[in-house]
Amino acid sequence: SAVISQKPSRDICQRGTSLTIQCQVDSQVTMMFWYRQQPGQSLTLIATANQGSEATYESGFVIDKFPISRPNLTFSTLTVSNMSPEDSSIYLCSVEDHGGRREQYFGPGTRLTVT
Amino acid sequence: QKEVEQDPGPLSVPEGAIVSLNCTYSNSAFQYFMWYRQYSRKGPELLMYTYSSGNKEDGRFTAQVDKSSKYISLFIRDSQPSDSATYLCASSYSGAGSYQLTFGKGTKLSVIP
């Protein structure tokens, strides 16, 4: 399976600022995904990021708040913009590694605290 | 009603016990079923993958899917303290363009030595 790394692993940010999270994969993948994991809640898909096209956002998530880049087949970034304490969460990227089998592999996550 | 329901626990068992973890789902279009294990402060790790109904066994782990009752199970035999983690079930649709995984909230398992 693909090996996925994320930077930063954790951060504490002030209200109103933005943070960009990086996701790096050790092999080329078509499908990359960004999830949010809030305490006591399910993992929630934010958006799907395919190389060469605009990210597809899920209901409740908008590009102005969570802009995503996907410049190549091994890298993606998620920006959390104009942060508020409600954005405190773990942000995870994942990749689908087996051509349509829906097996997704996750990075270690970025733990964000907004004060 | 959430599409995937999972009892959050916590569940505490003695070492060596058989553990049964369960989820129910409401969407009959789900065809892919997965179990993830998540250790504290780590990302989810894919543990078991099943397409459609049936059983799948991998070492001490057995995944079962009963589509008639919309029930997903994970059994852990001879549980070990290293199995202590949160277990997440997930489901997905078939068909092109529908890659979203729908997760349960996770069940926190503690295996006591």
Side-chain angles (χ1 to χ4, degrees):
Chain A
S1 62
V3 177
I4 305 163
S5 60
Q6 284 185 236
K7 289 182 181 179
S9 58
R10 59 175 57 214
D11 208 341
I12 301 173
C13 301
Q14 291 195 343
R15 182 194 301 260
T17 63
S18 298
L19 176 72
T20 295
I21 302 168
Q22 299 179 6
C23 179
Q24 180 75 53
V25 190
D26 70 341
S27 58
Q28 293 185 339
V29 294
T30 302
M31 308 291 291
M32 293 183 77
F33 308 87
W34 286 98
Y35 286 82
R36 181 172 72 181
Q37 187 175 30
Q38 295 180 307
Q41 301 299 316
S42 313
L43 271 78
T44 302
L45 181 64
I46 297 171
T48 301
N50 289 342
Q51 193 266 338
S53 62
E54 295 289 326
T56 302
Y57 289 84
E58 298 300 312
S59 175
F61 299 96
V62 295
I63 187 171
D64 290 345
K65 176 67 175 177
F66 297 101
I68 288 170
S69 78
R70 181 79 199 275
N72 57 52
L73 291 174
T74 63
F75 188 78
S76 178
T77 67
L78 169 77
T79 299
V80 186
S81 302
N82 188 25
M83 289 184 284
S84 66
E86 292 71 35
D87 295 319
S88 297
S89 186
I90 300 172
Y91 292 87
L92 296 146
C93 70
S94 74
V95 304
E96 187 183 88
D97 200 23
H98 283 89
R101 279 163 49 94
R102 307 297 189 273
E103 293 180 37
Q104 288 187 21
Y105 297 88
F106 285 81
T110 295
R111 185 177 295 268
L112 171 63
T113 302
V114 183
T115 60
Chain B
Q1 178 190 10
K2 288 189 66 67
E3 287 194 299
V4 178
E5 299 276 1
Q6 183 175 11
D7 186 339
L11 179 63
S12 185
V13 301
E15 182 176 355
I18 296 174
V19 176
S20 173
L21 302 168
N22 306 292
C23 292
T24 59
Y25 65 94
S26 58
N27 194 328
S28 57
F30 285 150
Q31 293 282 348
Y32 300 90
F33 304 93
M34 285 139 280
W35 284 94
Y36 286 84
R37 177 174 62 194
Q38 186 173 25
Y39 291 114
S40 179
R41 300 183 180 274
K42 301 288 186 183
E45 169 195 7
L46 181 61
L47 198 58
M48 299 290 283
Y49 166 91
T50 309
Y51 174 71
S52 194
S53 281
N55 294 2
K56 184 172 183 179
E57 188 173 322
D58 185 1
R60 297 183 295 111
F61 298 89
T62 300
Q64 287 186 353
V65 176
D66 183 346
K67 295 193 73 181
S68 63
S69 59
K70 298 188 179 65
Y71 204 76
I72 314 164
S73 300
L74 178 70
F75 298 95
I76 306 174
R77 292 183 300 279
D78 187 24
S79 56
Q80 303 294 310
S82 59
D83 295 328
S84 298
T86 296
Y87 290 80
L88 305 159
C89 61
S91 303
S92 182
Y93 304 97
S94 178
S98 53
Y99 295 92
Q100 178 178 358
L101 296 185
T102 301
F103 283 85
K105 289 187 177 182
T107 300
K108 186 171 183 178
L109 171 68
S110 295
V111 180
I112 311 302

CSV table of all heavy atoms in Angstrom, one decimal, chain A residues 10 31 33 35 37 40-45 48 58 90 92 96 99-109 111, chain B residues 2 4 32 34 36 38 40-44 46 49 56 88 92-101 103-105:
chain,number,residue,atom,x,y,z
A,10,ARG,N,1.0,18.6,13.8
A,10,ARG,CA,0.1,19.3,14.7
A,10,ARG,C,0.4,20.8,14.6
A,10,ARG,O,1.5,21.2,14.2
A,10,ARG,CB,0.2,18.8,16.1
A,10,ARG,CG,1.5,18.9,16.7
A,10,ARG,CD,1.5,18.5,18.2
A,10,ARG,NE,1.0,17.2,18.4
A,10,ARG,CZ,0.3,16.8,19.4
A,10,ARG,NH1,0.0,17.7,20.4
A,10,ARG,NH2,-0.1,15.6,19.5
A,31,MET,N,-6.6,9.2,-7.2
A,31,MET,CA,-7.6,9.8,-6.3
A,31,MET,C,-6.9,10.1,-4.9
A,31,MET,O,-6.3,9.3,-4.3
A,31,MET,CB,-8.7,8.7,-6.0
A,31,MET,CG,-9.3,8.2,-7.3
A,31,MET,SD,-10.3,9.4,-8.2
A,31,MET,CE,-11.7,9.6,-7.0
A,33,PHE,N,-8.0,12.2,-1.2
A,33,PHE,CA,-9.2,12.7,-0.5
A,33,PHE,C,-8.7,13.4,0.8
A,33,PHE,O,-7.7,13.1,1.4
A,33,PHE,CB,-10.1,11.5,-0.1
A,33,PHE,CG,-10.4,10.6,-1.2
A,33,PHE,CD1,-9.6,9.6,-1.5
A,33,PHE,CD2,-11.6,10.8,-1.9
A,33,PHE,CE1,-10.0,8.7,-2.6
A,33,PHE,CE2,-12.0,10.0,-2.9
A,33,PHE,CZ,-11.2,8.9,-3.3
A,35,TYR,N,-10.2,14.5,4.6
A,35,TYR,CA,-11.2,14.2,5.6
A,35,TYR,C,-11.0,15.1,6.8
A,35,TYR,O,-9.9,15.5,7.1
A,35,TYR,CB,-11.2,12.7,6.1
A,35,TYR,CG,-11.7,11.7,5.1
A,35,TYR,CD1,-10.9,11.2,4.0
A,35,TYR,CD2,-13.0,11.2,5.2
A,35,TYR,CE1,-11.4,10.3,3.2
A,35,TYR,CE2,-13.5,10.2,4.3
A,35,TYR,CZ,-12.7,9.8,3.3
A,35,TYR,OH,-13.1,8.8,2.4
A,37,GLN,N,-11.8,14.8,11.1
A,37,GLN,CA,-12.2,13.9,12.2
A,37,GLN,C,-12.3,14.7,13.4
A,37,GLN,O,-11.3,15.1,14.0
A,37,GLN,CB,-11.2,12.8,12.4
A,37,GLN,CG,-11.6,11.7,13.4
A,37,GLN,CD,-10.7,10.5,13.4
A,37,GLN,OE1,-9.5,10.7,13.2
A,37,GLN,NE2,-11.2,9.4,13.8
A,40,GLY,N,-15.3,12.5,18.8
A,40,GLY,CA,-16.6,11.8,19.0
A,40,GLY,C,-17.5,11.7,17.7
A,40,GLY,O,-18.6,11.3,17.8
A,41,GLN,N,-16.9,12.1,16.6
A,41,GLN,CA,-17.6,12.1,15.3
A,41,GLN,C,-17.0,11.2,14.3
A,41,GLN,O,-15.8,10.8,14.4
A,41,GLN,CB,-17.7,13.5,14.8
A,41,GLN,CG,-18.3,14.6,15.7
A,41,GLN,CD,-19.8,14.2,16.0
A,41,GLN,OE1,-20.5,13.9,15.1
A,41,GLN,NE2,-20.1,14.3,17.2
A,42,SER,N,-17.8,10.8,13.3
A,42,SER,CA,-17.3,10.0,12.2
A,42,SER,C,-16.3,10.9,11.4
A,42,SER,O,-16.3,12.1,11.4
A,42,SER,CB,-18.4,9.7,11.2
A,42,SER,OG,-19.5,9.2,11.9
A,43,LEU,N,-15.4,10.1,10.7
A,43,LEU,CA,-14.6,10.8,9.6
A,43,LEU,C,-15.6,11.4,8.6
A,43,LEU,O,-16.4,10.7,8.1
A,43,LEU,CB,-13.6,9.9,9.0
A,43,LEU,CG,-12.3,9.7,9.6
A,43,LEU,CD1,-12.4,8.8,10.8
A,43,LEU,CD2,-11.3,9.1,8.5
A,44,THR,N,-15.4,12.6,8.2
A,44,THR,CA,-16.2,13.3,7.3
A,44,THR,C,-15.4,13.7,6.1
A,44,THR,O,-14.4,14.4,6.2
A,44,THR,CB,-16.9,14.5,7.9
A,44,THR,OG1,-17.7,14.1,9.0
A,44,THR,CG2,-17.9,15.2,6.9
A,45,LEU,N,-15.8,13.3,4.9
A,45,LEU,CA,-15.1,13.7,3.7
A,45,LEU,C,-15.3,15.2,3.4
A,45,LEU,O,-16.5,15.7,3.3
A,45,LEU,CB,-15.6,12.9,2.5
A,45,LEU,CG,-14.9,13.1,1.1
A,45,LEU,CD1,-13.5,12.8,1.2
A,45,LEU,CD2,-15.6,12.4,0.0
A,48,THR,N,-12.7,15.6,-2.7
A,48,THR,CA,-11.9,14.7,-3.5
A,48,THR,C,-11.1,15.5,-4.4
A,48,THR,O,-11.5,16.5,-5.1
A,48,THR,CB,-12.8,13.8,-4.3
A,48,THR,OG1,-13.7,13.1,-3.5
A,48,THR,CG2,-12.0,12.8,-5.2
A,58,GLU,N,-17.8,18.2,-0.8
A,58,GLU,CA,-19.0,17.6,-0.2
A,58,GLU,C,-19.9,18.7,0.3
A,58,GLU,O,-19.5,19.8,0.6
A,58,GLU,CB,-18.6,16.5,0.8
A,58,GLU,CG,-17.8,15.4,0.3
A,58,GLU,CD,-18.5,14.6,-0.8
A,58,GLU,OE1,-19.7,14.3,-0.6
A,58,GLU,OE2,-17.9,14.3,-1.8
A,90,ILE,N,-8.9,17.0,13.6
A,90,ILE,CA,-7.8,16.3,12.9
A,90,ILE,C,-8.2,16.2,11.4
A,90,ILE,O,-9.3,15.9,11.1
A,90,ILE,CB,-7.6,14.8,13.4
A,90,ILE,CG1,-7.3,14.9,14.9
A,90,ILE,CG2,-6.6,14.1,12.7
A,90,ILE,CD1,-7.3,13.5,15.6
A,92,LEU,N,-7.2,14.7,7.8
A,92,LEU,CA,-6.5,13.5,7.2
A,92,LEU,C,-6.6,13.5,5.7
A,92,LEU,O,-7.6,13.8,5.1
A,92,LEU,CB,-7.2,12.2,7.7
A,92,LEU,CG,-7.1,12.0,9.2
A,92,LEU,CD1,-8.4,11.3,9.8
A,92,LEU,CD2,-5.9,11.1,9.6
A,96,GLU,N,-6.7,6.4,-2.8
A,96,GLU,CA,-7.2,5.1,-3.3
A,96,GLU,C,-6.2,4.5,-4.1
A,96,GLU,O,-5.7,5.0,-5.1
A,96,GLU,CB,-8.5,5.3,-4.1
A,96,GLU,CG,-9.1,3.9,-4.4
A,96,GLU,CD,-10.4,4.0,-5.2
A,96,GLU,OE1,-10.2,4.0,-6.4
A,96,GLU,OE2,-11.5,4.1,-4.7
A,99,GLY,N,-7.3,1.0,-7.9
A,99,GLY,CA,-8.0,1.2,-9.1
A,99,GLY,C,-9.5,0.8,-9.0
A,99,GLY,O,-10.0,0.0,-9.7
A,100,GLY,N,-10.2,1.5,-8.1
A,100,GLY,CA,-11.7,1.4,-8.1
A,100,GLY,C,-12.2,0.4,-7.1
A,100,GLY,O,-13.4,0.2,-7.0
A,101,ARG,N,-11.3,-0.2,-6.3
A,101,ARG,CA,-11.8,-1.1,-5.2
A,101,ARG,C,-12.2,-0.4,-4.0
A,101,ARG,O,-12.7,-1.1,-3.0
A,101,ARG,CB,-10.7,-2.1,-4.9
A,101,ARG,CG,-10.5,-3.3,-5.9
A,101,ARG,CD,-9.2,-4.0,-5.7
A,101,ARG,NE,-8.9,-4.3,-4.3
A,101,ARG,CZ,-9.1,-5.5,-3.8
A,101,ARG,NH1,-9.8,-6.4,-4.5
A,101,ARG,NH2,-8.8,-5.7,-2.5
A,102,ARG,N,-12.1,0.9,-3.9
A,102,ARG,CA,-12.5,1.7,-2.8
A,102,ARG,C,-11.6,1.5,-1.6
A,102,ARG,O,-12.0,1.9,-0.5
A,102,ARG,CB,-14.0,1.4,-2.4
A,102,ARG,CG,-15.0,1.5,-3.5
A,102,ARG,CD,-15.1,2.9,-4.0
A,102,ARG,NE,-16.2,3.1,-5.0
A,102,ARG,CZ,-16.1,2.9,-6.3
A,102,ARG,NH1,-15.0,2.4,-6.8
A,102,ARG,NH2,-17.2,3.1,-7.0
A,103,GLU,N,-10.5,0.9,-1.7
A,103,GLU,CA,-9.6,0.8,-0.6
A,103,GLU,C,-8.9,2.1,-0.4
A,103,GLU,O,-8.1,2.4,-1.3
A,103,GLU,CB,-8.6,-0.4,-0.8
A,103,GLU,CG,-9.2,-1.7,-0.8
A,103,GLU,CD,-8.2,-2.8,-1.0
A,103,GLU,OE1,-7.0,-2.7,-0.5
A,103,GLU,OE2,-8.5,-3.8,-1.7
A,104,GLN,N,-9.1,2.8,0.7
A,104,GLN,CA,-8.4,4.0,0.9
A,104,GLN,C,-7.4,3.9,2.0
A,104,GLN,O,-7.7,3.2,3.0
A,104,GLN,CB,-9.4,5.1,1.2
A,104,GLN,CG,-10.2,5.5,0.0
A,104,GLN,CD,-11.1,6.8,0.3
A,104,GLN,OE1,-10.9,7.5,1.3
A,104,GLN,NE2,-12.2,6.9,-0.5
A,105,TYR,N,-6.2,4.5,1.8
A,105,TYR,CA,-5.2,4.5,2.8
A,105,TYR,C,-4.9,5.9,3.3
A,105,TYR,O,-4.9,6.8,2.5
A,105,TYR,CB,-3.9,3.9,2.2
A,105,TYR,CG,-4.1,2.4,1.8
A,105,TYR,CD1,-4.6,2.1,0.5
A,105,TYR,CD2,-3.9,1.4,2.6
A,105,TYR,CE1,-4.9,0.8,0.1
A,105,TYR,CE2,-4.1,0.1,2.2
A,105,TYR,CZ,-4.6,-0.2,1.0
A,105,TYR,OH,-4.8,-1.5,0.6
A,106,PHE,N,-4.8,6.0,4.6
A,106,PHE,CA,-4.8,7.3,5.2
A,106,PHE,C,-3.4,7.7,5.7
A,106,PHE,O,-2.5,6.9,6.1
A,106,PHE,CB,-5.7,7.3,6.5
A,106,PHE,CG,-7.1,7.4,6.1
A,106,PHE,CD1,-7.8,6.2,5.7
A,106,PHE,CD2,-7.8,8.6,6.1
A,106,PHE,CE1,-9.2,6.3,5.4
A,106,PHE,CE2,-9.1,8.6,5.8
A,106,PHE,CZ,-9.8,7.5,5.4
A,107,GLY,N,-3.2,9.0,5.7
A,107,GLY,CA,-2.0,9.6,6.3
A,107,GLY,C,-2.1,9.6,7.8
A,107,GLY,O,-3.2,9.3,8.3
A,108,PRO,N,-1.1,10.1,8.5
A,108,PRO,CA,-1.1,10.1,10.0
A,108,PRO,C,-2.0,11.2,10.6
A,108,PRO,O,-2.3,11.2,11.7
A,108,PRO,CB,0.4,10.3,10.3
A,108,PRO,CG,0.9,11.0,9.2
A,108,PRO,CD,0.2,10.5,8.0
A,109,GLY,N,-2.4,12.2,9.7
A,109,GLY,CA,-3.3,13.2,10.2
A,109,GLY,C,-2.5,14.5,10.7
A,109,GLY,O,-1.3,14.4,11.0
A,111,ARG,N,-3.2,17.4,13.5
A,111,ARG,CA,-4.0,17.8,14.6
A,111,ARG,C,-4.0,19.3,14.8
A,111,ARG,O,-3.0,19.9,15.1
A,111,ARG,CB,-3.6,17.2,15.9
A,111,ARG,CG,-4.4,17.4,17.1
A,111,ARG,CD,-3.9,16.6,18.3
A,111,ARG,NE,-3.9,15.2,18.1
A,111,ARG,CZ,-4.9,14.4,18.4
A,111,ARG,NH1,-6.0,14.9,19.1
A,111,ARG,NH2,-4.9,13.1,18.2
B,2,LYS,N,-28.2,8.3,10.5
B,2,LYS,CA,-27.0,8.2,9.8
B,2,LYS,C,-26.9,7.0,9.0
B,2,LYS,O,-27.5,6.0,9.3
B,2,LYS,CB,-25.8,8.3,10.8
B,2,LYS,CG,-25.7,9.7,11.4
B,2,LYS,CD,-24.4,9.7,12.3
B,2,LYS,CE,-23.2,9.6,11.4
B,2,LYS,NZ,-23.0,10.8,10.5
B,4,VAL,N,-24.4,5.0,8.4
B,4,VAL,CA,-23.6,3.9,9.1
B,4,VAL,C,-23.7,4.1,10.6
B,4,VAL,O,-23.2,5.2,11.0
B,4,VAL,CB,-22.2,3.8,8.6
B,4,VAL,CG1,-21.4,2.7,9.3
B,4,VAL,CG2,-22.1,3.5,7.1
B,32,TYR,N,-19.2,-2.0,-0.9
B,32,TYR,CA,-17.8,-2.2,-0.4
B,32,TYR,C,-17.9,-1.9,1.1
B,32,TYR,O,-18.5,-0.9,1.6
B,32,TYR,CB,-16.9,-1.2,-1.0
B,32,TYR,CG,-16.8,-1.3,-2.5
B,32,TYR,CD1,-17.6,-0.6,-3.4
B,32,TYR,CD2,-15.8,-2.2,-3.1
B,32,TYR,CE1,-17.5,-0.7,-4.7
B,32,TYR,CE2,-15.7,-2.3,-4.5
B,32,TYR,CZ,-16.5,-1.6,-5.3
B,32,TYR,OH,-16.4,-1.7,-6.6
B,34,MET,N,-15.5,-2.0,4.8
B,34,MET,CA,-14.1,-2.0,5.3
B,34,MET,C,-14.1,-1.8,6.8
B,34,MET,O,-15.0,-1.2,7.4
B,34,MET,CB,-13.3,-0.8,4.7
B,34,MET,CG,-12.9,-1.1,3.2
B,34,MET,SD,-13.1,0.4,2.2
B,34,MET,CE,-14.8,0.3,1.8
B,36,TYR,N,-11.4,-0.3,9.6
B,36,TYR,CA,-10.1,0.4,9.9
B,36,TYR,C,-9.8,0.3,11.4
B,36,TYR,O,-10.7,0.3,12.2
B,36,TYR,CB,-10.2,1.8,9.5
B,36,TYR,CG,-10.2,2.1,8.0
B,36,TYR,CD1,-11.3,2.0,7.2
B,36,TYR,CD2,-9.0,2.4,7.4
B,36,TYR,CE1,-11.3,2.2,5.8
B,36,TYR,CE2,-8.9,2.6,6.0
B,36,TYR,CZ,-10.1,2.5,5.2
B,36,TYR,OH,-10.0,2.7,3.9
B,38,GLN,N,-7.6,2.3,14.3
B,38,GLN,CA,-6.9,3.6,14.5
B,38,GLN,C,-6.4,3.6,15.9
B,38,GLN,O,-7.1,3.7,16.9
B,38,GLN,CB,-7.9,4.8,14.3
B,38,GLN,CG,-7.2,6.1,14.4
B,38,GLN,CD,-8.1,7.3,14.0
B,38,GLN,OE1,-9.4,7.2,14.1
B,38,GLN,NE2,-7.6,8.4,13.5
B,40,SER,N,-4.3,5.6,19.0
B,40,SER,CA,-4.4,7.0,19.4
B,40,SER,C,-3.3,7.8,18.7
B,40,SER,O,-2.2,7.4,18.6
B,40,SER,CB,-4.1,7.0,21.0
B,40,SER,OG,-4.2,8.3,21.4
B,41,ARG,N,-3.8,9.0,18.2
B,41,ARG,CA,-2.9,10.0,17.6
B,41,ARG,C,-2.2,9.4,16.3
B,41,ARG,O,-1.2,9.9,15.9
B,41,ARG,CB,-1.8,10.5,18.5
B,41,ARG,CG,-2.5,11.2,19.7
B,41,ARG,CD,-1.4,11.8,20.7
B,41,ARG,NE,-2.1,12.4,21.8
B,41,ARG,CZ,-2.6,13.7,21.8
B,41,ARG,NH1,-2.4,14.4,20.7
B,41,ARG,NH2,-3.2,14.2,22.8
B,42,LYS,N,-2.9,8.5,15.6
B,42,LYS,CA,-2.5,7.9,14.4
B,42,LYS,C,-3.6,8.0,13.4
B,42,LYS,O,-4.8,8.1,13.7
B,42,LYS,CB,-2.0,6.5,14.5
B,42,LYS,CG,-0.9,6.2,15.5
B,42,LYS,CD,0.4,6.8,15.0
B,42,LYS,CE,1.6,6.4,16.0
B,42,LYS,NZ,2.9,7.0,15.5
B,43,GLY,N,-3.2,7.8,12.1
B,43,GLY,CA,-4.3,7.8,11.1
B,43,GLY,C,-4.9,6.4,11.0
B,43,GLY,O,-4.3,5.4,11.5
B,44,PRO,N,-6.1,6.3,10.5
B,44,PRO,CA,-6.8,4.9,10.3
B,44,PRO,C,-6.0,4.0,9.4
B,44,PRO,O,-5.4,4.5,8.4
B,44,PRO,CB,-8.1,5.3,9.7
B,44,PRO,CG,-8.3,6.7,10.0
B,44,PRO,CD,-7.0,7.4,10.0
B,46,LEU,N,-6.1,0.5,7.2
B,46,LEU,CA,-7.1,-0.5,6.7
B,46,LEU,C,-6.8,-1.9,7.2
B,46,LEU,O,-5.7,-2.4,7.0
B,46,LEU,CB,-7.0,-0.4,5.1
B,46,LEU,CG,-7.9,-1.4,4.4
B,46,LEU,CD1,-9.4,-1.0,4.7
B,46,LEU,CD2,-7.7,-1.3,2.9
B,49,TYR,N,-11.1,-5.7,4.1
B,49,TYR,CA,-11.9,-5.2,3.0
B,49,TYR,C,-12.8,-6.3,2.4
B,49,TYR,O,-12.3,-7.4,2.2
B,49,TYR,CB,-10.9,-4.7,1.9
B,49,TYR,CG,-11.5,-4.4,0.6
B,49,TYR,CD1,-12.0,-3.2,0.2
B,49,TYR,CD2,-11.6,-5.4,-0.4
B,49,TYR,CE1,-12.6,-2.9,-1.0
B,49,TYR,CE2,-12.2,-5.2,-1.6
B,49,TYR,CZ,-12.7,-3.9,-1.9
B,49,TYR,OH,-13.2,-3.7,-3.1
B,56,LYS,N,-14.7,-12.9,5.3
B,56,LYS,CA,-13.3,-12.8,4.9
B,56,LYS,C,-12.5,-13.0,6.2
B,56,LYS,O,-12.7,-12.3,7.2
B,56,LYS,CB,-13.0,-11.5,4.2
B,56,LYS,CG,-11.5,-11.4,3.7
B,56,LYS,CD,-11.3,-10.2,2.9
B,56,LYS,CE,-9.9,-10.1,2.3
B,56,LYS,NZ,-9.7,-8.9,1.5
B,88,LEU,N,-13.1,1.4,13.2
B,88,LEU,CA,-14.0,2.1,12.4
B,88,LEU,C,-14.5,1.2,11.3
B,88,LEU,O,-13.7,0.6,10.5
B,88,LEU,CB,-13.4,3.4,11.8
B,88,LEU,CG,-12.7,4.3,12.7
B,88,LEU,CD1,-11.6,5.2,12.0
B,88,LEU,CD2,-13.7,5.2,13.4
B,92,SER,N,-19.1,1.9,1.1
B,92,SER,CA,-19.0,2.8,-0.1
B,92,SER,C,-19.9,2.2,-1.2
B,92,SER,O,-20.2,1.0,-1.2
B,92,SER,CB,-17.6,2.9,-0.6
B,92,SER,OG,-17.6,3.8,-1.7
B,93,TYR,N,-20.3,3.0,-2.1
B,93,TYR,CA,-21.1,2.6,-3.3
B,93,TYR,C,-20.3,2.0,-4.3
B,93,TYR,O,-19.1,2.1,-4.3
B,93,TYR,CB,-21.8,3.8,-3.9
B,93,TYR,CG,-22.6,4.7,-3.0
B,93,TYR,CD1,-22.1,5.8,-2.5
B,93,TYR,CD2,-23.9,4.4,-2.8
B,93,TYR,CE1,-22.8,6.7,-1.6
B,93,TYR,CE2,-24.7,5.2,-2.0
B,93,TYR,CZ,-24.2,6.3,-1.4
B,93,TYR,OH,-24.9,7.1,-0.6
B,94,SER,N,-20.9,1.3,-5.2
B,94,SER,CA,-20.3,0.8,-6.4
B,94,SER,C,-20.5,1.9,-7.5
B,94,SER,O,-21.3,2.8,-7.3
B,94,SER,CB,-20.9,-0.5,-6.9
B,94,SER,OG,-20.4,-1.0,-8.0
B,95,GLY,N,-19.8,1.8,-8.6
B,95,GLY,CA,-20.0,2.7,-9.7
B,95,GLY,C,-19.0,3.8,-9.8
B,95,GLY,O,-18.4,4.2,-8.8
B,96,ALA,N,-18.7,4.2,-11.0
B,96,ALA,CA,-17.7,5.2,-11.3
B,96,ALA,C,-18.2,6.6,-10.6
B,96,ALA,O,-19.3,6.9,-10.6
B,96,ALA,CB,-17.5,5.4,-12.8
B,97,GLY,N,-17.2,7.3,-10.1
B,97,GLY,CA,-17.4,8.6,-9.6
B,97,GLY,C,-18.0,8.6,-8.1
B,97,GLY,O,-18.1,9.7,-7.6
B,98,SER,N,-18.2,7.5,-7.5
B,98,SER,CA,-18.8,7.5,-6.2
B,98,SER,C,-17.7,6.8,-5.2
B,98,SER,O,-17.9,5.7,-4.8
B,98,SER,CB,-20.1,6.7,-6.2
B,98,SER,OG,-19.9,5.4,-6.7
B,99,TYR,N,-16.7,7.6,-4.9
B,99,TYR,CA,-15.6,7.0,-4.1
B,99,TYR,C,-15.7,7.3,-2.6
B,99,TYR,O,-14.8,7.0,-1.9
B,99,TYR,CB,-14.3,7.5,-4.7
B,99,TYR,CG,-14.0,7.1,-6.1
B,99,TYR,CD1,-14.4,7.8,-7.2
B,99,TYR,CD2,-13.4,5.8,-6.3
B,99,TYR,CE1,-14.2,7.4,-8.5
B,99,TYR,CE2,-13.2,5.4,-7.6
B,99,TYR,CZ,-13.6,6.1,-8.7
B,99,TYR,OH,-13.3,5.7,-9.9
B,100,GLN,N,-16.7,8.1,-2.2
B,100,GLN,CA,-16.8,8.5,-0.8
B,100,GLN,C,-17.0,7.3,0.1
B,100,GLN,O,-17.8,6.4,-0.2
B,100,GLN,CB,-18.0,9.4,-0.7
B,100,GLN,CG,-18.2,9.9,0.8
B,100,GLN,CD,-19.3,10.9,0.9
B,100,GLN,OE1,-19.9,11.2,0.0
B,100,GLN,NE2,-19.5,11.3,2.2
B,101,LEU,N,-16.2,7.2,1.1
B,101,LEU,CA,-16.4,6.3,2.2
B,101,LEU,C,-17.3,6.9,3.3
B,101,LEU,O,-17.1,8.0,3.7
B,101,LEU,CB,-15.1,5.8,2.8
B,101,LEU,CG,-14.1,5.1,2.0
B,101,LEU,CD1,-12.9,4.7,2.8
B,101,LEU,CD2,-14.7,3.9,1.3
B,103,PHE,N,-18.3,6.5,7.1
B,103,PHE,CA,-17.8,5.9,8.3
B,103,PHE,C,-18.8,5.9,9.4
B,103,PHE,O,-19.6,6.8,9.6
B,103,PHE,CB,-16.5,6.7,8.8
B,103,PHE,CG,-15.3,6.4,8.0
B,103,PHE,CD1,-15.0,7.1,6.8
B,103,PHE,CD2,-14.4,5.4,8.4
B,103,PHE,CE1,-13.9,6.9,6.1
B,103,PHE,CE2,-13.2,5.2,7.6
B,103,PHE,CZ,-13.0,5.9,6.5
B,104,GLY,N,-18.6,4.8,10.3
B,104,GLY,CA,-19.3,4.9,11.6
B,104,GLY,C,-18.4,5.7,12.5
B,104,GLY,O,-17.3,6.2,12.1
B,105,LYS,N,-18.9,6.0,13.7
B,105,LYS,CA,-18.2,6.8,14.6
B,105,LYS,C,-17.0,6.1,15.3
B,105,LYS,O,-16.1,6.8,15.9
B,105,LYS,CB,-19.1,7.3,15.7
B,105,LYS,CG,-20.1,8.3,15.3
B,105,LYS,CD,-20.9,8.9,16.4
B,105,LYS,CE,-21.9,10.0,16.0
B,105,LYS,NZ,-22.6,10.6,17.1
